[in-house]
Amino acid sequence: MDRPPMQRARVFCVANQKGGVGKTTTTVNLAAGLARVGQRVLLVDLDPQGNATMGSGVDKRSLSLSIYDVLLETATIVEARQRSEVGGYDVLGANRELAGAEVELVGLERRDQRLRQALEPVADEYDIVVIDCPPSLSLLTLNGLCSAHGVIVPMQCEYFALEGLTDLVNTIRQVHANLNPELQIIGLLRVMYDPRITLQQQVSEQLKGHFGDKVFDAVIPRNVRLAEAPSYGQPGVVFDPASKGAQAYLEFAREMVARVKQLA
Ligand code: ADP
Ligand code: MG
């Protein structure tokens, strides 16, 4: 494979403080899509719900070590990571235990830099790290943003879509200014898109008007196969590679590889 020696991983957060907007689906399918096009990928699950872990075929209930231990520095990523055999990437898994980390971290030093520091020793082993953030702008999300080069924002083309972005964009600005000067919005990803709905077309156009090149070309359609895949412990791109949803995520993965090259 033609990659320069010692290329260090590029780190991306999938974030949006709203729940149910497609963060986890995007994280899992991007990880699997990137693996399919030859990238070495680590998926980090920063959500105590552990949906990205389960959707990668890793049982969150049987994790002996997880991201919780990594954030509290009682384990390293090398010790805590699992392999998603079905997805072809590594997983730093999460489960309910992680909900407690939020409280336990508050009093500790470097509380927002824990993930960044933990990733440091494995950065040479991966091309891309994808982080699934919880639906909040919490200390966990802050750890993600402090680790990342870029943020991927999945969004539905609904009426209040742009307004919903304000808090996230402000948080990203603040983190950029105070904690992580590398951080930028890599792009907005339109998900669960239905082109037959006029309103969605309009909001999509609005988004492009507002954010221009920051809107990814790839568009993820509403596709039931993507919603079914997690119950089989598989990313959609593996579960039904021919489905429209899987094809769109593969296209998105290729687009990400191209954007990463531009960053380098
Ligand atoms: P979040 O992580 O932001 O809470 P999820 O990725 O869990 O969002 O998605 C919320 C729900 O929508 C899940 O049930 C998921 O299966 C479903 N879903 C996500 N993307 C799609 C899509 N493109 N088509 C159909 N269903 C989707
Ligand atoms: Mg989620």
Side-chain angles (χ1 to χ4, degrees), residues 150-194:
V151 185
I152 296 163
V153 185
M155 51 188 310
Q156 288 171 258
C157 291
E158 289 168 343
Y159 189 55
F160 287 116
L162 278 172
E163 282 175 44
L165 281 182
T166 312
D167 288 344
L168 180 62
V169 170
N170 284 338
T171 302
I172 291 169
R173 280 211 190 104
Q174 280 176 27
V175 173
H176 174 85
N178 301 309
L179 295 166
N180 177 9
E182 285 185 296
L183 188 68
Q184 54 174 300
I185 294 183
I186 295 298
L188 306 178
L189 179 67
R190 291 163 286 173
V191 299
M192 300 189 223
Y193 190 71
D194 185 343

mmCIF file of all heavy atoms in Angstrom, residues 150-194:
data_model
loop_
_atom_site.group_PDB
_atom_site.id
_atom_site.type_symbol
_atom_site.label_atom_id
_atom_site.label_comp_id
_atom_site.label_asym_id
_atom_site.label_seq_id
_atom_site.Cartn_x
_atom_site.Cartn_y
_atom_site.Cartn_z
ATOM 1 N N GLY A 150 -10.752 16.798 13.283
ATOM 2 C CA GLY A 150 -11.959 17.290 12.630
ATOM 3 C C GLY A 150 -13.232 16.696 13.182
ATOM 4 O O GLY A 150 -13.227 15.647 13.817
ATOM 5 N N VAL A 151 -14.323 17.399 12.932
ATOM 6 C CA VAL A 151 -15.640 16.941 13.361
ATOM 7 C C VAL A 151 -16.488 16.654 12.123
ATOM 8 O O VAL A 151 -16.530 17.458 11.187
ATOM 9 C CB VAL A 151 -16.360 18.012 14.215
ATOM 10 C CG1 VAL A 151 -17.673 17.464 14.762
ATOM 11 C CG2 VAL A 151 -15.460 18.486 15.341
ATOM 12 N N ILE A 152 -17.127 15.507 12.154
ATOM 13 C CA ILE A 152 -18.112 15.149 11.130
ATOM 14 C C ILE A 152 -19.480 15.317 11.779
ATOM 15 O O ILE A 152 -19.724 14.757 12.845
ATOM 16 C CB ILE A 152 -17.922 13.682 10.688
ATOM 17 C CG1 ILE A 152 -16.554 13.492 10.025
ATOM 18 C CG2 ILE A 152 -19.063 13.242 9.772
ATOM 19 C CD1 ILE A 152 -16.122 12.031 9.933
ATOM 20 N N VAL A 153 -20.337 16.104 11.164
ATOM 21 C CA VAL A 153 -21.649 16.367 11.752
ATOM 22 C C VAL A 153 -22.740 15.741 10.889
ATOM 23 O O VAL A 153 -23.057 16.254 9.806
ATOM 24 C CB VAL A 153 -21.918 17.884 11.870
ATOM 25 C CG1 VAL A 153 -23.241 18.136 12.595
ATOM 26 C CG2 VAL A 153 -20.769 18.597 12.580
ATOM 27 N N PRO A 154 -23.309 14.619 11.339
ATOM 28 C CA PRO A 154 -24.432 14.055 10.592
ATOM 29 C C PRO A 154 -25.687 14.854 10.899
ATOM 30 O O PRO A 154 -25.895 15.251 12.045
ATOM 31 C CB PRO A 154 -24.555 12.630 11.138
ATOM 32 C CG PRO A 154 -23.927 12.662 12.485
ATOM 33 C CD PRO A 154 -22.989 13.834 12.537
ATOM 34 N N MET A 155 -26.482 15.116 9.898
ATOM 35 C CA MET A 155 -27.720 15.838 10.169
ATOM 36 C C MET A 155 -28.837 15.494 9.203
ATOM 37 O O MET A 155 -28.614 15.164 8.047
ATOM 38 C CB MET A 155 -27.482 17.340 10.175
ATOM 39 C CG MET A 155 -26.771 17.886 8.979
ATOM 40 S SD MET A 155 -26.391 19.591 9.273
ATOM 41 C CE MET A 155 -27.990 20.177 9.807
ATOM 42 N N GLN A 156 -30.049 15.574 9.750
ATOM 43 C CA GLN A 156 -31.231 15.368 8.930
ATOM 44 C C GLN A 156 -31.657 16.714 8.382
ATOM 45 O O GLN A 156 -31.538 17.731 9.051
ATOM 46 C CB GLN A 156 -32.339 14.750 9.777
ATOM 47 C CG GLN A 156 -32.062 13.297 10.110
ATOM 48 C CD GLN A 156 -33.044 12.758 11.134
ATOM 49 O OE1 GLN A 156 -32.730 12.632 12.307
ATOM 50 N NE2 GLN A 156 -34.239 12.426 10.670
ATOM 51 N N CYS A 157 -32.142 16.703 7.169
ATOM 52 C CA CYS A 157 -32.529 17.958 6.536
ATOM 53 C C CYS A 157 -33.936 18.345 6.961
ATOM 54 O O CYS A 157 -34.887 18.293 6.181
ATOM 55 C CB CYS A 157 -32.404 17.833 5.023
ATOM 56 S SG CYS A 157 -30.693 17.709 4.500
ATOM 57 N N GLU A 158 -34.048 18.735 8.232
ATOM 58 C CA GLU A 158 -35.335 19.143 8.787
ATOM 59 C C GLU A 158 -35.397 20.651 8.932
ATOM 60 O O GLU A 158 -34.389 21.336 8.812
ATOM 61 C CB GLU A 158 -35.525 18.520 10.171
ATOM 62 C CG GLU A 158 -35.762 17.031 10.114
ATOM 63 C CD GLU A 158 -35.653 16.417 11.491
ATOM 64 O OE1 GLU A 158 -35.091 17.078 12.388
ATOM 65 O OE2 GLU A 158 -36.107 15.273 11.648
ATOM 66 N N TYR A 159 -36.584 21.125 9.305
ATOM 67 C CA TYR A 159 -36.825 22.553 9.314
ATOM 68 C C TYR A 159 -35.859 23.331 10.206
ATOM 69 O O TYR A 159 -35.325 24.349 9.823
ATOM 70 C CB TYR A 159 -38.271 22.830 9.726
ATOM 71 C CG TYR A 159 -38.647 24.267 9.548
ATOM 72 C CD1 TYR A 159 -38.476 24.881 8.305
ATOM 73 C CD2 TYR A 159 -39.132 25.014 10.598
ATOM 74 C CE1 TYR A 159 -38.803 26.208 8.131
ATOM 75 C CE2 TYR A 159 -39.469 26.339 10.428
ATOM 76 C CZ TYR A 159 -39.295 26.930 9.190
ATOM 77 O OH TYR A 159 -39.611 28.236 9.016
ATOM 78 N N PHE A 160 -35.587 22.812 11.419
ATOM 79 C CA PHE A 160 -34.739 23.569 12.332
ATOM 80 C C PHE A 160 -33.278 23.103 12.297
ATOM 81 O O PHE A 160 -32.520 23.364 13.219
ATOM 82 C CB PHE A 160 -35.291 23.477 13.761
ATOM 83 C CG PHE A 160 -36.538 24.283 13.939
ATOM 84 C CD1 PHE A 160 -37.742 23.664 14.238
ATOM 85 C CD2 PHE A 160 -36.519 25.664 13.790
ATOM 86 C CE1 PHE A 160 -38.905 24.411 14.399
ATOM 87 C CE2 PHE A 160 -37.673 26.415 13.956
ATOM 88 C CZ PHE A 160 -38.868 25.788 14.252
ATOM 89 N N ALA A 161 -32.905 22.438 11.232
ATOM 90 C CA ALA A 161 -31.569 21.833 11.172
ATOM 91 C C ALA A 161 -30.455 22.847 11.417
ATOM 92 O O ALA A 161 -29.540 22.601 12.196
ATOM 93 C CB ALA A 161 -31.370 21.159 9.822
ATOM 94 N N LEU A 162 -30.552 23.997 10.774
ATOM 95 C CA LEU A 162 -29.481 24.986 10.903
ATOM 96 C C LEU A 162 -29.395 25.555 12.315
ATOM 97 O O LEU A 162 -28.312 25.709 12.861
ATOM 98 C CB LEU A 162 -29.703 26.131 9.911
ATOM 99 C CG LEU A 162 -29.222 25.857 8.499
ATOM 100 C CD1 LEU A 162 -29.660 26.971 7.563
ATOM 101 C CD2 LEU A 162 -27.718 25.715 8.467
ATOM 102 N N GLU A 163 -30.561 25.844 12.911
ATOM 103 C CA GLU A 163 -30.567 26.369 14.277
ATOM 104 C C GLU A 163 -29.951 25.378 15.246
ATOM 105 O O GLU A 163 -29.218 25.753 16.157
ATOM 106 C CB GLU A 163 -31.991 26.678 14.719
ATOM 107 C CG GLU A 163 -32.497 27.978 14.148
ATOM 108 C CD GLU A 163 -33.953 28.203 14.493
ATOM 109 O OE1 GLU A 163 -34.331 27.972 15.651
ATOM 110 O OE2 GLU A 163 -34.699 28.588 13.587
ATOM 111 N N GLY A 164 -30.248 24.113 15.029
ATOM 112 C CA GLY A 164 -29.724 23.077 15.916
ATOM 113 C C GLY A 164 -28.209 23.015 15.904
ATOM 114 O O GLY A 164 -27.589 22.482 16.826
ATOM 115 N N LEU A 165 -27.603 23.559 14.869
ATOM 116 C CA LEU A 165 -26.145 23.494 14.752
ATOM 117 C C LEU A 165 -25.427 24.565 15.565
ATOM 118 O O LEU A 165 -24.242 24.445 15.835
ATOM 119 C CB LEU A 165 -25.737 23.670 13.281
ATOM 120 C CG LEU A 165 -25.890 22.461 12.391
ATOM 121 C CD1 LEU A 165 -25.406 22.789 10.987
ATOM 122 C CD2 LEU A 165 -25.113 21.285 12.959
ATOM 123 N N THR A 166 -26.167 25.612 15.968
ATOM 124 C CA THR A 166 -25.510 26.763 16.585
ATOM 125 C C THR A 166 -24.673 26.388 17.810
ATOM 126 O O THR A 166 -23.513 26.792 17.923
ATOM 127 C CB THR A 166 -26.561 27.824 16.985
ATOM 128 O OG1 THR A 166 -27.417 28.012 15.860
ATOM 129 C CG2 THR A 166 -25.907 29.131 17.341
ATOM 130 N N ASP A 167 -25.263 25.622 18.728
ATOM 131 C CA ASP A 167 -24.544 25.264 19.955
ATOM 132 C C ASP A 167 -23.293 24.448 19.638
ATOM 133 O O ASP A 167 -22.230 24.665 20.210
ATOM 134 C CB ASP A 167 -25.439 24.435 20.884
ATOM 135 C CG ASP A 167 -26.524 25.291 21.515
ATOM 136 O OD1 ASP A 167 -26.403 26.530 21.471
ATOM 137 O OD2 ASP A 167 -27.494 24.709 22.037
ATOM 138 N N LEU A 168 -23.445 23.521 18.703
ATOM 139 C CA LEU A 168 -22.304 22.678 18.349
ATOM 140 C C LEU A 168 -21.190 23.505 17.713
ATOM 141 O O LEU A 168 -20.017 23.384 18.081
ATOM 142 C CB LEU A 168 -22.762 21.574 17.384
ATOM 143 C CG LEU A 168 -21.682 20.606 16.919
ATOM 144 C CD1 LEU A 168 -21.085 19.844 18.097
ATOM 145 C CD2 LEU A 168 -22.245 19.619 15.903
ATOM 146 N N VAL A 169 -21.575 24.371 16.797
ATOM 147 C CA VAL A 169 -20.579 25.205 16.122
ATOM 148 C C VAL A 169 -19.869 26.119 17.131
ATOM 149 O O VAL A 169 -18.647 26.278 17.093
ATOM 150 C CB VAL A 169 -21.228 26.028 14.990
ATOM 151 C CG1 VAL A 169 -20.278 27.081 14.449
ATOM 152 C CG2 VAL A 169 -21.683 25.094 13.864
ATOM 153 N N ASN A 170 -20.624 26.669 18.083
ATOM 154 C CA ASN A 170 -20.007 27.509 19.114
ATOM 155 C C ASN A 170 -19.043 26.707 19.988
ATOM 156 O O ASN A 170 -17.955 27.183 20.320
ATOM 157 C CB ASN A 170 -21.080 28.159 19.997
ATOM 158 C CG ASN A 170 -21.754 29.315 19.274
ATOM 159 O OD1 ASN A 170 -21.185 29.877 18.332
ATOM 160 N ND2 ASN A 170 -22.955 29.664 19.698
ATOM 161 N N THR A 171 -19.458 25.507 20.369
ATOM 162 C CA THR A 171 -18.575 24.664 21.181
ATOM 163 C C THR A 171 -17.297 24.352 20.425
ATOM 164 O O THR A 171 -16.192 24.436 20.982
ATOM 165 C CB THR A 171 -19.291 23.344 21.555
ATOM 166 O OG1 THR A 171 -20.482 23.655 22.256
ATOM 167 C CG2 THR A 171 -18.395 22.469 22.423
ATOM 168 N N ILE A 172 -17.426 24.021 19.146
ATOM 169 C CA ILE A 172 -16.244 23.703 18.340
ATOM 170 C C ILE A 172 -15.326 24.921 18.258
ATOM 171 O O ILE A 172 -14.103 24.800 18.392
ATOM 172 C CB ILE A 172 -16.664 23.207 16.941
ATOM 173 C CG1 ILE A 172 -17.337 21.830 17.066
ATOM 174 C CG2 ILE A 172 -15.457 23.138 15.999
ATOM 175 C CD1 ILE A 172 -18.033 21.359 15.806
ATOM 176 N N ARG A 173 -15.908 26.109 18.092
ATOM 177 C CA ARG A 173 -15.107 27.342 18.074
ATOM 178 C C ARG A 173 -14.329 27.527 19.365
ATOM 179 O O ARG A 173 -13.157 27.888 19.354
ATOM 180 C CB ARG A 173 -16.014 28.559 17.876
ATOM 181 C CG ARG A 173 -16.404 28.769 16.448
ATOM 182 C CD ARG A 173 -16.605 30.256 16.130
ATOM 183 N NE ARG A 173 -17.206 30.343 14.808
ATOM 184 C CZ ARG A 173 -18.492 30.609 14.605
ATOM 185 N NH1 ARG A 173 -19.296 30.882 15.626
ATOM 186 N NH2 ARG A 173 -18.978 30.628 13.393
ATOM 187 N N GLN A 174 -15.031 27.302 20.482
ATOM 188 C CA GLN A 174 -14.376 27.482 21.790
ATOM 189 C C GLN A 174 -13.243 26.483 21.998
ATOM 190 O O GLN A 174 -12.178 26.846 22.489
ATOM 191 C CB GLN A 174 -15.393 27.322 22.921
ATOM 192 C CG GLN A 174 -16.219 28.575 23.143
ATOM 193 C CD GLN A 174 -17.279 28.366 24.203
ATOM 194 O OE1 GLN A 174 -17.125 27.530 25.093
ATOM 195 N NE2 GLN A 174 -18.365 29.117 24.102
ATOM 196 N N VAL A 175 -13.498 25.240 21.624
ATOM 197 C CA VAL A 175 -12.454 24.224 21.780
ATOM 198 C C VAL A 175 -11.271 24.583 20.883
ATOM 199 O O VAL A 175 -10.108 24.492 21.285
ATOM 200 C CB VAL A 175 -12.987 22.811 21.449
ATOM 201 C CG1 VAL A 175 -11.861 21.790 21.434
ATOM 202 C CG2 VAL A 175 -14.050 22.400 22.467
ATOM 203 N N HIS A 176 -11.574 25.015 19.671
ATOM 204 C CA HIS A 176 -10.523 25.433 18.738
ATOM 205 C C HIS A 176 -9.686 26.573 19.341
ATOM 206 O O HIS A 176 -8.460 26.564 19.272
ATOM 207 C CB HIS A 176 -11.154 25.875 17.420
ATOM 208 C CG HIS A 176 -10.186 26.453 16.445
ATOM 209 N ND1 HIS A 176 -9.454 25.679 15.582
ATOM 210 C CD2 HIS A 176 -9.815 27.727 16.223
ATOM 211 C CE1 HIS A 176 -8.679 26.462 14.857
ATOM 212 N NE2 HIS A 176 -8.871 27.709 15.221
ATOM 213 N N ALA A 177 -10.352 27.545 19.949
ATOM 214 C CA ALA A 177 -9.662 28.729 20.475
ATOM 215 C C ALA A 177 -8.871 28.429 21.749
ATOM 216 O O ALA A 177 -7.800 28.994 21.966
ATOM 217 C CB ALA A 177 -10.668 29.841 20.741
ATOM 218 N N ASN A 178 -9.385 27.539 22.584
ATOM 219 C CA ASN A 178 -8.803 27.385 23.924
ATOM 220 C C ASN A 178 -8.070 26.078 24.169
ATOM 221 O O ASN A 178 -7.180 26.019 25.011
ATOM 222 C CB ASN A 178 -9.900 27.515 24.984
ATOM 223 C CG ASN A 178 -10.590 28.867 24.900
ATOM 224 O OD1 ASN A 178 -9.938 29.897 24.887
ATOM 225 N ND2 ASN A 178 -11.912 28.850 24.803
ATOM 226 N N LEU A 179 -8.479 25.024 23.485
ATOM 227 C CA LEU A 179 -7.976 23.707 23.878
ATOM 228 C C LEU A 179 -7.291 22.937 22.753
ATOM 229 O O LEU A 179 -6.367 22.172 22.992
ATOM 230 C CB LEU A 179 -9.136 22.852 24.421
ATOM 231 C CG LEU A 179 -9.788 23.352 25.712
ATOM 232 C CD1 LEU A 179 -11.108 22.633 25.960
ATOM 233 C CD2 LEU A 179 -8.843 23.156 26.892
ATOM 234 N N ASN A 180 -7.778 23.099 21.542
ATOM 235 C CA ASN A 180 -7.278 22.267 20.437
ATOM 236 C C ASN A 180 -7.290 23.052 19.122
ATOM 237 O O ASN A 180 -8.262 23.004 18.369
ATOM 238 C CB ASN A 180 -8.135 21.001 20.321
ATOM 239 C CG ASN A 180 -7.721 20.122 19.151
ATOM 240 O OD1 ASN A 180 -6.686 20.355 18.514
ATOM 241 N ND2 ASN A 180 -8.534 19.112 18.867
ATOM 242 N N PRO A 181 -6.188 23.769 18.841
ATOM 243 C CA PRO A 181 -6.147 24.625 17.652
ATOM 244 C C PRO A 181 -6.260 23.864 16.332
ATOM 245 O O PRO A 181 -6.521 24.468 15.290
ATOM 246 C CB PRO A 181 -4.780 25.314 17.771
ATOM 247 C CG PRO A 181 -3.990 24.500 18.739
ATOM 248 C CD PRO A 181 -4.974 23.845 19.656
ATOM 249 N N GLU A 182 -6.089 22.538 16.381
ATOM 250 C CA GLU A 182 -6.187 21.750 15.140
ATOM 251 C C GLU A 182 -7.631 21.489 14.729
ATOM 252 O O GLU A 182 -7.907 21.097 13.595
ATOM 253 C CB GLU A 182 -5.491 20.405 15.328
ATOM 254 C CG GLU A 182 -3.988 20.495 15.310
ATOM 255 C CD GLU A 182 -3.360 19.121 15.377
ATOM 256 O OE1 GLU A 182 -3.545 18.444 16.407
ATOM 257 O OE2 GLU A 182 -2.707 18.728 14.407
ATOM 258 N N LEU A 183 -8.536 21.667 15.675
ATOM 259 C CA LEU A 183 -9.917 21.234 15.438
ATOM 260 C C LEU A 183 -10.622 22.077 14.378
ATOM 261 O O LEU A 183 -10.562 23.298 14.389
ATOM 262 C CB LEU A 183 -10.710 21.313 16.746
ATOM 263 C CG LEU A 183 -12.116 20.708 16.689
ATOM 264 C CD1 LEU A 183 -12.031 19.199 16.523
ATOM 265 C CD2 LEU A 183 -12.907 21.061 17.940
ATOM 266 N N GLN A 184 -11.289 21.407 13.452
ATOM 267 C CA GLN A 184 -12.137 22.096 12.487
ATOM 268 C C GLN A 184 -13.328 21.208 12.120
ATOM 269 O O GLN A 184 -13.304 20.009 12.364
ATOM 270 C CB GLN A 184 -11.337 22.430 11.233
ATOM 271 C CG GLN A 184 -10.644 21.228 10.605
ATOM 272 C CD GLN A 184 -9.969 21.566 9.288
ATOM 273 O OE1 GLN A 184 -10.624 21.991 8.351
ATOM 274 N NE2 GLN A 184 -8.674 21.378 9.226
ATOM 275 N N ILE A 185 -14.346 21.828 11.574
ATOM 276 C CA ILE A 185 -15.446 21.024 11.044
ATOM 277 C C ILE A 185 -15.006 20.498 9.689
ATOM 278 O O ILE A 185 -14.696 21.276 8.790
ATOM 279 C CB ILE A 185 -16.734 21.863 10.905
ATOM 280 C CG1 ILE A 185 -17.234 22.290 12.287
ATOM 281 C CG2 ILE A 185 -17.811 21.071 10.177
ATOM 282 C CD1 ILE A 185 -18.539 23.063 12.260
ATOM 283 N N ILE A 186 -14.921 19.193 9.573
ATOM 284 C CA ILE A 186 -14.531 18.608 8.295
ATOM 285 C C ILE A 186 -15.707 18.645 7.348
ATOM 286 O O ILE A 186 -15.563 18.942 6.159
ATOM 287 C CB ILE A 186 -14.066 17.143 8.475
ATOM 288 C CG1 ILE A 186 -12.801 17.104 9.319
ATOM 289 C CG2 ILE A 186 -13.824 16.466 7.133
ATOM 290 C CD1 ILE A 186 -11.624 17.824 8.717
ATOM 291 N N GLY A 187 -16.869 18.348 7.908
ATOM 292 C CA GLY A 187 -18.003 18.412 7.014
ATOM 293 C C GLY A 187 -19.322 18.040 7.653
ATOM 294 O O GLY A 187 -19.379 17.438 8.710
ATOM 295 N N LEU A 188 -20.365 18.444 6.947
ATOM 296 C CA LEU A 188 -21.727 18.092 7.338
ATOM 297 C C LEU A 188 -22.193 16.975 6.418
ATOM 298 O O LEU A 188 -22.057 17.070 5.193
ATOM 299 C CB LEU A 188 -22.652 19.302 7.170
ATOM 300 C CG LEU A 188 -22.222 20.590 7.866
ATOM 301 C CD1 LEU A 188 -23.222 21.703 7.560
ATOM 302 C CD2 LEU A 188 -22.123 20.377 9.359
ATOM 303 N N LEU A 189 -22.728 15.931 7.041
ATOM 304 C CA LEU A 189 -23.190 14.789 6.263
ATOM 305 C C LEU A 189 -24.709 14.706 6.334
ATOM 306 O O LEU A 189 -25.279 14.593 7.415
ATOM 307 C CB LEU A 189 -22.567 13.503 6.816
ATOM 308 C CG LEU A 189 -22.982 12.209 6.119
ATOM 309 C CD1 LEU A 189 -22.455 12.169 4.678
ATOM 310 C CD2 LEU A 189 -22.485 10.989 6.899
ATOM 311 N N ARG A 190 -25.327 14.785 5.183
ATOM 312 C CA ARG A 190 -26.786 14.666 5.144
ATOM 313 C C ARG A 190 -27.165 13.193 5.268
ATOM 314 O O ARG A 190 -26.703 12.370 4.466
ATOM 315 C CB ARG A 190 -27.312 15.261 3.833
ATOM 316 C CG ARG A 190 -27.142 16.784 3.763
ATOM 317 C CD ARG A 190 -27.265 17.310 2.360
ATOM 318 N NE ARG A 190 -26.064 16.993 1.575
ATOM 319 C CZ ARG A 190 -25.957 17.223 0.270
ATOM 320 N NH1 ARG A 190 -26.967 17.747 -0.395
ATOM 321 N NH2 ARG A 190 -24.839 16.923 -0.357
ATOM 322 N N VAL A 191 -27.960 12.876 6.289
ATOM 323 C CA VAL A 191 -28.339 11.478 6.527
ATOM 324 C C VAL A 191 -29.859 11.332 6.545
ATOM 325 O O VAL A 191 -30.580 12.322 6.677
ATOM 326 C CB VAL A 191 -27.754 10.941 7.860
ATOM 327 C CG1 VAL A 191 -26.231 10.982 7.841
ATOM 328 C CG2 VAL A 191 -28.293 11.719 9.057
ATOM 329 N N MET A 192 -30.291 10.077 6.428
ATOM 330 C CA MET A 192 -31.726 9.727 6.406
ATOM 331 C C MET A 192 -32.455 10.601 5.400
ATOM 332 O O MET A 192 -33.582 11.064 5.641
ATOM 333 C CB MET A 192 -32.345 9.880 7.807
ATOM 334 C CG MET A 192 -31.687 8.979 8.840
ATOM 335 S SD MET A 192 -32.599 8.981 10.400
ATOM 336 C CE MET A 192 -31.246 9.093 11.576
ATOM 337 N N TYR A 193 -31.807 10.818 4.282
ATOM 338 C CA TYR A 193 -32.317 11.765 3.289
ATOM 339 C C TYR A 193 -33.369 11.116 2.391
ATOM 340 O O TYR A 193 -33.189 9.985 1.925
ATOM 341 C CB TYR A 193 -31.147 12.271 2.436
ATOM 342 C CG TYR A 193 -31.523 13.422 1.531
ATOM 343 C CD1 TYR A 193 -31.788 14.678 2.056
ATOM 344 C CD2 TYR A 193 -31.612 13.243 0.156
ATOM 345 C CE1 TYR A 193 -32.134 15.739 1.234
ATOM 346 C CE2 TYR A 193 -31.948 14.304 -0.680
ATOM 347 C CZ TYR A 193 -32.209 15.553 -0.125
ATOM 348 O OH TYR A 193 -32.549 16.593 -0.938
ATOM 349 N N ASP A 194 -34.453 11.842 2.194
ATOM 350 C CA ASP A 194 -35.494 11.380 1.280
ATOM 351 C C ASP A 194 -35.733 12.465 0.230
ATOM 352 O O ASP A 194 -36.383 13.474 0.503
ATOM 353 C CB ASP A 194 -36.781 11.095 2.053
ATOM 354 C CG ASP A 194 -37.849 10.481 1.140
ATOM 355 O OD1 ASP A 194 -37.712 10.571 -0.106
ATOM 356 O OD2 ASP A 194 -38.811 9.916 1.677
#
